Amino acid sequence: MKNILLLLLALLLALAFGAMAGHDWASPARLVSALSGDGSLQSQLLMVWRLPRVLAAALVGALLGLGGAIFQGVFRNPLAEPYLLGSSGGAAIGATVALLVPLGLPVGPALAGLSFLGAWGATWLVLAIAGLHGRPDTAGLLLAGVAIAAMLGALRSFLMLALSDDTVNLQVVLSWTLGGIQTPDMTGLLLLAGLVIAALASSLRLARGLDLLGLGEEQAFAFGLDPQRFIKLAVLVGAGIVAAAVAYGGLVAFVGLIAPHLARWWAGPRHAAMLPASALIGAAIVCACDGIARAVLPPAEVPLGLITALFGGPFFLLLLARRLRA
Amino acid sequence: MTGIECRSIRVEAGGKRLLDDVSLAFARGTLTGLVGPNGAGKSTLLRVLAGYRRPDAGQVFWQERDLVSWLAAGRGAVGGYLPQQLEPAWNYSVEEIVALGASRSPAPRPVAELLAEHGLVELAGRRWNVLSGGERARTMLAATVAPGPSIILADEPGASLDIRHRLDLVHRLQRLSREAVVVVIMHDLDLAARFCDRIIVMNGGIVAADGEASAVIAGPALEEIFRVRFQRAVLAPDADWVISTTPNGA
């Protein structure tokens, strides 16, 4: 409990930083007076534009933290990550098709459905190639993921070049590729919050199964799990969470790797404690990185995916080096 | 009967027949040792008995019910499987592993009670990567037997242990066999001869010999199958183990 409270405090600090950061920095005093509803123009801008975006960043981060934790649990590998495994790339392809191909469907449901199908399909492909049975080894998993992610990236670029004659859509798709939180309206924000609650609830239902799977497939079976059925269910839930994260935040690399790692270190390996911790850490990371993205090159905005990759890349290499040495 | 039974089991892999028409029954109150050379089909048979490996032909029954009709949770609560070694993906603590083992029971016993019963209280918070082989074996045994399973299958659980810990483990399995069906793969014929009630000798995917431990050990099957000549000796009442020497004392 103390562990979770400290993480909540860290998230609050990250939210405050996110709310202050930008090409026009807001002081803590300005933030407090805006929150108390002083009605000035600056406060209104803060409340209408910046705060929803900061909250959206935190919620997308929570989704990435949960998605990463589920994927690491299913693959039984601490280097598994939705971005590296091509799941995010799959979701982005789905989103690209929904936006650029005239399917005759309403954009909202088509975007959600195709993002999910893309994430799910790409994850299954990696699982099938890297070895569904037994414990997929790190090299096989990452190589399969890198190959699939590269192919999906090329396909996405091709679709963008071939199909786009509408500059607005192209811009949206491009922002997806680089990762970036859009400022949502109230309905969008509430929907995202609902998605995070659903994601957390369904992740927690997987907690015991993920714990058992961590003992190895054979031992998990002996302890009363049907591993094949469970893996199918967990991949379905993980793909749904990744698709939601991609739909709102685009391709944000490495958060799904770092958050579960820190969560395991902070709360231990049992998933009932580690999943909420990973969501909170993911939320804090994306919130802080989104603040940096807005503040570092004013008045321009650096893509969020670039910031997370700059921090996350070295972290990943460090983990990989440690694992290879072991 | 309340044990396990397998009928006409056949398992094939890569064009090779790993098990060929194996039919066996195991009753409660008996410690059965599965012995045989490498590649004899012992581990495959144990996995089939556990339900982890579906046979290409034949059926397995647990408590007179076809194993395929068991729900995963019920199967987990009634059965216990002790692997040769465990390599968890995450660095669980002793307490966490025992809790996971206990959680498969519909009414799990308190973990503190289980830790005390297996002498693991002081190791409770210790993580898997710093445990010795003996500590790991005790942890896994505690997790496996936590819900009081009536079927215990063990794949050479003492293989990597020193003599003291190996003896300790077999003693525990012997005690458990009073209330449960216990089938253990053993490479150590000495231990099998001394502790098992029944020994099954596997060779080339078939049952080559099966009977009361003393009869199988005294019979010719072991020499024929292992292609080794054995000397049978009686252990002194105050000894735990035999160390043999060659005539020149080396």
Side-chain angles (χ1 to χ4, degrees), chain A residues 72-73 76-78 135 208 210-212 214-215 217-219 221-227 264 268-271, chain B residues 47 50-52 72-73 75-76 81 83 86-92 96 99-101 103-104 127 140 143-144:
Chain A
Q72 291 189 4
R76 280 160 281 157
N77 196 313
R135 188 171 162 186
R208 182 171 172 269
L210 291 171
D211 282 347
L212 289 175
L215 295 172
E217 217 169 285
E218 196 167 1
Q219 198 58 42
F221 178 87
F223 279 179
L225 189 77
D226 182 341
R264 215 170 282 120
R270 292 291 298 267
H271 287 82
Chain B
R47 287 200 177 104
Y52 186 64
R75 175 177 51 70
Y81 180 80
L86 186 76
E87 279 184 52
W90 317 117
N91 204 9
Y92 292 118
E96 286 168 343
L100 277 176
S103 74
R104 63 195 209 272
R127 300 252 158 225
M140 276 316 294
T144 301

Side-chain angles (χ1 to χ4, degrees), chain A residues 4-301:
Chain A
I4 292 289
L5 285 178
L6 282 172
L7 287 181
L8 275 171
L9 187 70
L11 176 59
L12 271 178
L13 288 175
L15 284 168
F17 169 77
M20 289 190 290
H23 82 270
D24 173 28
W25 278 80
S27 66
R30 154 98 4 248
L31 201 61
V32 172
S33 78
L35 284 171
S36 60
D38 71 349
S40 72
L41 182 64
Q42 259 184 322
S43 295
Q44 278 182 13
L45 285 174
L46 214 56
M47 294 301 286
V48 174
W49 285 105
R50 199 175 282 172
L51 217 57
R53 161 132 179 200
V54 171
L55 291 174
L59 292 167
V60 166
L63 289 173
L64 289 171
L66 285 174
I70 291 177
F71 276 56
Q72 291 189 4
V74 168
F75 285 94
R76 280 160 281 157
N77 196 313
L79 294 181
E81 205 254 329
Y83 182 82
L84 292 173
L85 292 178
S87 317
S88 306
I93 281 275
T96 308
V97 170
L99 284 168
L100 298 179
V101 180
L103 296 167
L105 295 167
V107 172
L111 191 81
L114 288 177
S115 297
F116 170 71
L117 278 181
W120 185 67
T123 314
W124 267 112
L125 209 55
V126 173
L127 258 174
I129 293 167
L132 184 55
H133 298 282
R135 188 171 162 186
D137 79 309
T138 305
L141 198 60
L142 292 180
L143 286 174
V146 165
I148 301 245
M151 286 191 294
L152 292 174
L155 186 62
R156 190 182 60 240
S157 300
F158 176 78
L159 285 174
M160 282 162 64
L161 285 171
L163 297 172
S164 178
D165 51 5
D166 177 341
T167 49
V168 175
N169 274 354
L170 186 60
Q171 207 174 8
V172 174
V173 175
L174 253 178
S175 84
W176 244 304
T177 314
L178 298 170
I181 311 288
Q182 310 293 322
T183 302
D185 57 17
M186 194 41 109
T187 319
L189 195 61
L190 285 175
L191 183 64
L192 181 56
L195 282 172
V196 171
I197 292 169
L200 185 63
S202 44
S203 305
L204 285 173
R205 287 186 71 90
L206 299 176
R208 182 171 172 269
L210 291 171
D211 282 347
L212 289 175
L213 209 55
L215 295 172
E217 217 169 285
E218 196 167 1
Q219 198 58 42
F221 178 87
F223 279 179
L225 189 77
D226 182 341
Q228 296 308 314
R229 217 175 122 205
F230 177 77
I231 288 171
K232 281 180 193 151
L233 177 71
V235 166
L236 208 65
V237 173
I241 292 173
V242 168
V246 169
Y248 276 87
L251 291 176
V252 181
F254 294 115
V255 178
L257 175 86
I258 300 172
H261 243 89
L262 294 179
R264 215 170 282 120
W265 169 74
W266 186 258
R270 292 291 298 267
H271 287 82
M274 178 272 200
L275 284 162
S278 186
L280 287 172
I281 293 170
I285 291 175
V286 174
C287 200
C289 286
D290 185 55
I292 295 171
R294 277 181 281 118
V296 77
L297 272 183
E301 195 176 294

